[in-house]
Each structure stands twice: as structure tokens, then as C-alpha cells.
Amino acid sequence: MNFGPNALDRLVTLLSKLPGIGKKSAGRMAYHILDGDPGYARALAGELAGLHQAIRRCGLCGAFTETDPCPICSDPGRDHGIICVVERAQDLRVIEESREFHGVFHVLGGLIAPLEGIGPNDLSIGKLIARLRGAGPDQGVKELILALNPTVEGDTTALYLQKLLKDFPVEITRLASGLPVGGDLEYTDRLTLSRSLRGRVRM
Amino acid sequence: MNFGPNALDRLVTLLSKLPGIGKKSAGRMAYHILDGDPGYARALAGELAGLHQAIRRCGLCGAFTETDPCPICSDPGRDHGIICVVERAQDLRVIEESREFHGVFHVLGGLIAPLEGIGPNDLSIGKLIARLRGAGPDQGVKELILALNPTVEGDTTALYLQKLLKDFPVEITRLASGLPVGGDLEYTDRLTLSRSLRGRVRM
């Protein structure tokens, strides 16, 4: 597809590399920006240009942060005895929004996926072990919550970690898997249903 | 929703102003950019920063262009006797892609929509009349194709233009309206069906 002016074409090509954005949506976005206030385009440009300078990864947990260690790792009000292990930094936000968790995090940076060539060594597991050993400010970790996606890769990684860490005096738990709240039995897939049956809880 | 680091928050807020992008997609996009190559963020920033300098509107037809007049208006190989009238500059691209049209364009910049307070004076109609009068390089315009959306606003604007321009020696046509190619009668709405019946063509 040719979007006419070269500058517009280049913008569309770049925008279409964003997740979930095809050539058509990218075109719509580009025209919207072009049609709109130049101040908006400049503001967006400024944020993008400065993004990687402004945000780094927390040396402790691996979350995106403007300060190192991140606000969560350096918060004495959080329970440093419970570490919630997530796949990606963005998963941290979802858990924070639930307001159910008051411990600290650890970002693995991926999941074990042999078909994609991602093994345990590609994940931030060494750092996690160091934290369990008490190398950092987290002393006496009692529980490790594996908040990994209920997928083949998530299950594989959870099992791997469980085996690897079995000699540490730490309880390893996983997020409950089952029917989503507001869900409908009729439209629930077989696997989710069988998991929610196996994991049924006494009322 | 709080996306953690302020720089990320600001980027998400800006991205969520794009058409079709909610807070969630904006968050995904921002994390994708942050997770990715800083060179990509810089390239996108550069294109955005320079966009409004690089692209202006063609003084003749109103299309987005890097040169004025635009490549289409200044192309002697195009038929300057047929002007295709479109609502927005982005509509031009769709028509160009069909490779069916070899005339020139005129961008109205909107449609008559009294409820939104958009009247004929808000559209580029004066310039269109000047073109019909032969003020510009378009001499002897024979046909005006109104390529406006088959919506209430599009129909209103088309009827308005038809009435306004009835004394010009120019044929005024509209795009055919009817079943989309590959469409299904069963799923066609009543209005489209009645239009395609009224506009039926002899085989």
C-alpha cells in the first residue's frame, strides 16, 4: 500500500510494527496525527525520544522503573517475604491493580519455550535464587507466588522452578486456574473446566 | 490506571488518544516500545517530530503532500477534466488503490452535519467552484464524481452540491451503492438492499 507522501509512508511503516496494529490501523493513526494538532505529534515524539533514557530496569526485580531500585522494591511497607514471579514487566501492573498483593515482584523476562529456543538460562532465574539466598534486601522469603500464564509455557516454567527450588525453605504457590468471574459454563473450554473441577474448593 | 513509571504513563496517555486505541492497547504498545529496540522509538519520534513540517496540504485539491501542488494535480498524464470529490484526504488513497480512476481530486474537508455544527461554509466548496470556473490549471471540467460515504451526511452533502452546481456545464455523478463484492444477501441490511434494488443494472 502506498500512503502518498513519503513522510507519511515512513510513519505508517513504523506504526504498523506496533502490536495489534496492521497497515490499515497504522494508516488511520497516521492520518489522525497529521490531521490533528502538531503539538500532539511533538509531545508524542518527545516522550518516545526520551523513553529509554527515562526508564530502566530495576536491578533487583527487573521491573521498568525511573529509579533503581524501583518504588516497590524500596518500599519498607511491602512484605519482602513474599515474591510474586511474573513473566513480563507489564504483568506486574495487572497484579498491582488487583490491590490483592502486598509483597514484592520478580520479572523472569520470559517463559521456557523450547520450540522458540528459550531455555532456563534466558530467564532471570539466577537473580531469583540470589534473592532467595538473601543476597539482597529481601531477607527470609517465605513464599514464591508463580503468577505465570496458564499456558503450556507457563506450566512448563512453573514446574521447572518448582523442581529447581525444592530445597529452599520457601513455599511455592501458583495462581488459581478456573472459570473467570462472570463467565459462562456453556462457553468454557474443556481444559479450563477440568482445571476448575480438579481445583474445586469447599464452600 | 497507573502504568508505573511516569514517563510510561505519559506515553500511554498520549497513545490512547489515537483512533481505535484504548488505555489497554496503548499500554501494550508502550511496553512493546519500551521492551524493544531504542532505535525504533527514536525513529518513530523523528518521524512524528518532522511530520507537520514535511507534509502540507495541496493548495489546489487539499490532499496531503510534500510538494505543492501535489503529484496528482501536477501530473499532465491525469485527466484534469474529471474531478473526484472526497470527504477527507485519506479517502483519496483508497480510490487511488482501486486503480480505476485517472482524473484528479478535490478534498472537501468534511461533510455537512448540522447536528455537529458543520455547514457548507466549513467545507472547501469555494475552491471547488473556482476550479469549475477554470481559475486553476483544470480547464474544461466535464465530470464531478461525488465519492462521499453512503451515509446521511454524505447524502446531504451530495444533494447540496448537486443543487449548488446545477448551472455549471458539468455532469455530477455518485459512486454506486449496493451489495459489497463477496457479500451475502442474508446479512445485508434493509437500506443497502433497497438501494441495490433501486440501482439495479441491466445484464
Side-chain angles (χ1 to χ4, degrees):
Chain A
M1 261 194 278
N2 179 18
F3 283 87
N6 293 328
L8 201 60
D9 250 348
R10 293 194 305 267
L11 179 61
V12 169
T13 305
L14 285 171
L15 288 174
S16 63
K17 289 180 182 161
L18 291 170
I21 304 297
K23 269 266 172 183
K24 266 214 158 130
S25 315
R28 254 178 82 209
M29 286 161 63
Y31 274 112
H32 177 90
I33 296 169
L34 189 54
D35 236 352
D37 176 19
Y40 169 79
R42 274 197 302 273
L44 188 53
E47 289 302 336
L48 286 165
L51 188 69
H52 286 85
Q53 273 87 58
I55 300 180
R56 72 199 87 180
R57 284 187 178 271
C58 172
L60 212 55
C61 72
F64 288 124
T65 174
E66 286 178 303
T67 57
D68 192 6
C70 73
I72 293 177
C73 279
S74 53
D75 183 351
R78 309 277 304 208
D79 185 347
H80 288 251
I82 308 180
I83 298 179
C84 178
V85 179
V86 293
E87 177 192 347
R88 302 164 310 163
Q90 44 266 58
D91 298 332
L92 205 140
R93 180 176 55 80
V94 190
I95 292 171
E96 278 296 275
E97 275 169 11
S98 77
R99 293 166 191 263
E100 275 292 329
F101 181 68
H102 306 288
V104 292
F105 289 93
H106 190 82
V107 178
L108 279 185
L111 295 174
I112 296 172
L115 288 181
E116 292 168 45
I118 304 174
N121 293 335
D122 300 310
L123 311 182
S124 171
I125 293 176
K127 273 192 180 170
L128 178 62
I129 292 177
R131 290 178 75 177
L132 292 181
R133 288 208 172 109
D138 314 301
Q139 300 294 334
V141 177
K142 312 178 294 289
E143 187 180 353
L144 215 58
I145 303 176
L146 304 182
L148 306 175
N149 284 335
T151 57
V152 173
E153 289 82 10
D155 292 351
T156 308
T157 310
L159 285 173
Y160 177 86
L161 286 175
Q162 188 201 19
K163 240 172 126 174
L164 185 75
L165 306 173
K166 66 180 188 308
D167 294 333
F168 283 90
V170 61
E171 190 173 6
I172 298 177
T173 59
R174 277 203 76 178
L175 292 187
S177 188
L179 301 181
V181 176
D184 190 325
L185 264 182
E186 193 180 347
Y187 299 112
T188 305
D189 64 291
R190 207 168 45 80
L191 277 171
T192 301
L193 202 58
S194 71
R195 275 216 186 180
S196 68
L197 264 173
R198 260 186 284 145
R200 65 191 179 278
V201 290
R202 199 174 291 275
M203 293 181 61
Chain B
M1 259 194 280
N2 179 17
F3 282 87
N6 292 329
L8 202 59
D9 250 348
R10 291 195 305 268
L11 180 61
V12 169
T13 305
L14 285 171
L15 288 174
S16 63
K17 288 181 181 161
L18 291 171
I21 305 298
K23 269 266 173 186
K24 267 216 159 132
S25 316
R28 254 179 83 210
M29 284 161 63
Y31 275 112
H32 178 90
I33 295 168
L34 189 54
D35 237 353
D37 176 18
Y40 169 79
R42 273 197 302 273
L44 188 54
E47 288 302 337
L48 285 165
L51 189 68
H52 285 85
Q53 273 88 56
I55 299 180
R56 72 200 86 179
R57 285 190 177 270
C58 173
L60 212 55
C61 73
F64 288 123
T65 174
E66 287 178 302
T67 56
D68 191 7
C70 73
I72 292 177
C73 279
S74 53
D75 183 351
R78 310 273 309 205
D79 186 348
H80 289 249
I82 307 180
I83 298 179
C84 179
V85 178
V86 293
E87 177 192 348
R88 303 164 309 164
Q90 43 268 58
D91 298 333
L92 206 141
R93 180 178 53 81
V94 190
I95 292 172
E96 278 295 276
E97 275 168 14
S98 76
R99 292 167 192 261
E100 274 291 330
F101 181 67
H102 306 288
V104 291
F105 290 93
H106 190 83
V107 178
L108 280 185
L111 294 174
I112 297 172
L115 289 179
E116 291 169 45
I118 304 174
N121 293 335
D122 300 311
L123 311 183
S124 171
I125 294 177
K127 271 192 181 170
L128 179 61
I129 292 178
R131 290 177 77 177
L132 292 181
R133 288 208 174 110
D138 314 303
Q139 301 294 332
V141 177
K142 314 178 291 289
E143 187 180 353
L144 216 58
I145 302 175
L146 304 182
L148 307 174
N149 285 336
T151 58
V152 174
E153 290 81 10
D155 292 351
T156 307
T157 311
L159 284 173
Y160 176 86
L161 286 175
Q162 188 200 19
K163 242 171 122 174
L164 185 75
L165 306 173
K166 68 179 186 310
D167 293 334
F168 282 90
V170 61
E171 192 172 6
I172 299 177
T173 57
R174 277 202 74 177
L175 293 187
S177 187
L179 302 180
V181 175
D184 190 325
L185 264 183
E186 194 179 346
Y187 299 112
T188 305
D189 64 291
R190 206 169 44 80
L191 278 171
T192 301
L193 203 56
S194 71
R195 275 216 187 181
S196 69
L197 263 172
R198 260 186 282 145
R200 65 192 179 277
V201 288
R202 201 175 290 276
M203 292 182 63

